[in-house]
Amino acid sequence: MSGTADQPSVEVDGRRLRLSNLDKVLYPADGFTKAQVIDYYHRISPVAVPHLADRPLTVVRFPNGVGESSFFTKNAPSHRPDWTTVATLPSPGSTKDRSTIDYLVAGDRATLVWLANLASLELHTPMWRISTGHPDLGGAALDPGPPARAVDCAKVALLLREVLPGPLCVKTSGSKGLQVYGRVTDGRTSMEVRADMRAVATQLQRDHPDLVVANMRKDLRGGRVLLDWSQNNPAKTTVSVYSLRGRQRPTVSTPVTWEEIRDCRRPEDLVFTAADVLRRVDQHGDLFAPLLGGPPGADGEARAGESDGSA
């Protein structure tokens, strides 16, 4: 490490980075500092980067910590290092009257460390890839309407597992809900995947009206789990797997096994911090690897008799 005392310089995979304010506490409830955020993203990068690569990135920055104001950033900042990857993509309906946006692509560890130094706690990506313009993922976010809880989301996740083809992977949102993902390999457009997931959500609402709601109206969510099919819209993003969240504690959107979903009895059973996730990756590897088309991970494989189809 070199540089000045208040702005040390580090080398990450051959890239020289200047860091700042390492002692700044970004999660006051846990005393979790920017240095710890940077360390987390550096250490988690081997499993996080494959899920971020080839996707336009939106970040949520918390420059003064999670107790202060935050802001979404889509356009890559002008002060970015010259080695970062940028994808210029159309921006229809932009609120800032831009025809295109220069998106960052977090395809390497150095970019993650640089973003972490900007207090970019949350990383959000769409279901589609830049190289194809088509979705390779499809899924649903499960959002509990109080007094429903994560335990109820787990019940809905198991219902989805019964009706969607595998391999399916499930993760926590890092907040109150869950997200279930499958692969899309048949060339459908994002809006076709969205329509198919909406049909699944509507059917589950009919079959389980006391548990599932497919309508987006907030006044209908009380005591039930919203099965949010709209996340498949190409204009939308969801929090990426392994991303920190800007909540009170440094919780992470964490891959979990289906056994953990079946055994969930308390919301706390599905809450994991950065330190927890690093230990889990050492134990389980990348539970979301099946979504990359690689070999299935522990309990991430398709069930007997299921095809490697699409969500």
Side-chain angles (χ1 to χ4, degrees):
M1 182 178 290
S2 58
T4 63
D6 58 340
Q7 286 196 321
S9 179
V10 297
E11 185 174 301
V12 180
D13 298 335
R15 307 294 190 185
R16 180 62 59 178
L17 297 168
R18 184 67 57 88
L19 307 179
S20 62
N21 301 317
L22 294 179
D23 293 333
K24 179 181 283 188
V25 175
L26 298 183
Y27 291 89
D30 281 27
F32 203 79
T33 65
K34 190 203 277 192
Q36 289 172 290
V37 168
I38 293 171
D39 178 67
Y40 168 74
Y41 274 121
H42 182 271
R43 294 170 63 189
I44 203 66
S45 61
V47 292
V49 164
H51 298 283
L52 294 164
D54 199 24
R55 300 187 195 276
L57 182 67
T58 297
V59 303
V60 188
R61 292 180 58 188
F62 294 78
N64 295 307
V66 297
E68 304 293 334
S69 60
S70 62
F71 56 93
F72 278 86
T73 299
K74 289 187 176 183
N75 216 44
S78 59
H79 58 79
R80 64 185 180 268
D82 58 10
W83 44 261
T84 54
T85 300
V86 173
T88 301
L89 300 171
S91 178
S94 170
T95 57
K96 297 185 179 180
D97 296 324
R98 294 184 296 220
S99 60
T100 61
I101 290 180
D102 294 329
Y103 286 94
L104 276 172
V105 182
D108 57 77
R109 174 162 45 189
T111 298
L112 279 190
V113 171
W114 175 71
L115 286 167
N117 186 58
L118 297 179
S120 303
L121 301 184
E122 296 193 2
L123 312 175
H124 295 248
T125 54
M127 304 283 195
W128 49 272
R129 289 187 173 272
I130 296 168
S131 58
T132 66
H134 282 277
D136 63 319
L137 299 175
L142 307 179
D143 184 15
R149 305 179 301 164
V151 176
D152 302 290
C153 293
K155 295 176 183 176
V156 178
L158 292 171
L159 292 176
L160 280 172
R161 196 181 188 216
E162 292 301 317
V163 297
L164 294 178
L168 292 178
C169 295
V170 58
K171 67 183 180 74
T172 71
S173 68
S175 181
K176 299 177 181 178
L178 297 174
Q179 294 157 354
V180 177
Y181 290 84
R183 293 176 62 199
V184 175
T185 59
D186 54 9
R188 281 177 296 166
T189 66
S190 294
M191 294 306 286
E192 288 171 335
V193 175
R194 176 181 178 270
D196 291 343
M197 188 59 67
R198 184 176 188 175
V200 169
T202 301
Q203 185 60 54
L204 287 180
Q205 178 181 259
R206 291 195 196 102
D207 295 343
H208 307 274
D210 295 332
L211 178 61
V212 178
V213 59
N215 192 305
M216 297 296 166
R217 281 174 44 188
K218 290 187 178 180
D219 62 322
L220 299 177
R221 301 182 192 180
R224 296 192 286 175
V225 174
L226 172 65
L227 202 163
D228 188 353
W229 41 267
S230 72
Q231 299 300 314
N232 298 284
N233 187 314
K236 288 197 171 188
T237 63
T238 55
V239 66
S240 185
V241 65
Y242 301 112
S243 172
L244 284 161
R245 298 308 305 268
R247 301 300 187 261
Q248 184 178 21
R249 302 177 61 213
T251 54
V252 172
S253 183
T254 308
V256 293
T257 67
W258 285 104
E259 181 180 9
E260 288 175 304
I261 293 296
R262 287 192 299 267
D263 292 344
C264 177
R265 298 293 180 267
R266 307 171 304 151
E268 295 79 13
D269 294 337
L270 296 175
V271 176
F272 305 98
T273 64
D276 297 327
V277 172
L278 290 169
R279 287 192 294 268
R280 288 172 62 84
V281 170
D282 285 341
Q283 178 183 358
H284 298 295
D286 179 15
L287 290 173
F288 257 44
L291 299 184
L292 298 171
D299 205 39
E301 69 277 10
R303 297 181 299 283
E306 289 183 339
S307 64
D308 182 6
S310 54

